[in-house]
Amino acid sequence: LQVAISCLIGTFGGTTVAMISLGQHPGWMGNLGSPVAFAMGFWMIFLCPGDIFYKMITRNRTVELLLGYINTLSCGHAITSWGQDQAVFKAFHLKSGGSPIGMSGPLAIWCGTIAGCGGGIVANALSASGKTPEWIFGTPVVLKGPSITVKTAFLTSCIYYLIRNPHGWFTYGTDAFMTHDQARTIIWLIWVVVLTLHEILKITDPTLPLTNLIGKVCLCEAKIGLETRKIFPWLNGEEK
């Protein structure tokens, strides 16, 4: 049961947090397809006689890579349809009564980001990833040094918002460059490129050049650590 709940957190945690942010029930609870697919996947990995599927995935690099590309479809779909589109188009109660939240760009980007990577973050925070027998709440390792998944989810959520401009904040208008479906395809292709660069071309962090550029433009340090404490000794409790 603990393993099943851990897998539920990792699988549906991101979209669940996104929907909680919008005050709505998680979409996977409202249909039969998602629970059935989860149950089938759980049985194939943990309960199949001879561990056939588990061995096939872990011992065959081609199968593992193929499933990785299939997972990019899930990531792109989560960021767009399950995350940002829900915040912009389907959270009707946020728009009622003149609520400004329904027109919030940051909320849309947040929902897209957390829907794409939130399951891993929540599982990591609860130590529910299977590395320890007990759940212990702590700082997620993937946030101490943001993982490729976290950074890609955030960057693609921002790109999706800029492409679509759903609230019309920018002068080029809503969906001015391409259709809704084309914008979602672009996000999926970005995930495919990142996976290819990382897994096939062995580039450790394909997002690093872009994140470094953003850091320089925003004058933001990658990490606030020892060097910063030397500059600002009051961070260590010393006098200013």
Side-chain angles (χ1 to χ4, degrees), residues 13-14 78-79 112-122 142 147 149-151 153-154 191:
I79 290 169
T113 302
I114 203 65
C117 66
I121 294 176
V122 175
V142 294
S147 66
T149 302
V150 172
K151 289 196 285 187
F154 174 69
W191 279 87

Side-chain angles (χ1 to χ4, degrees), residues 25-71:
H25 72 276
W28 62 271
M29 288 184 174
N31 66 79
L32 187 61
S34 296
V36 169
F38 174 83
M40 289 177 61
F42 187 87
W43 180 87
M44 291 169 67
I45 297 299
F46 295 102
L47 304 174
C48 178
D51 284 336
I52 297 174
F53 293 100
Y54 177 77
K55 292 176 181 177
M56 182 171 61
I57 294 171
T58 57
R59 299 178 184 180
N60 190 313
R61 176 61 176 164
T62 302
V63 174
E64 182 182 4
L65 191 59
L66 177 61
L67 290 176
Y69 279 108
I70 293 174
N71 188 54

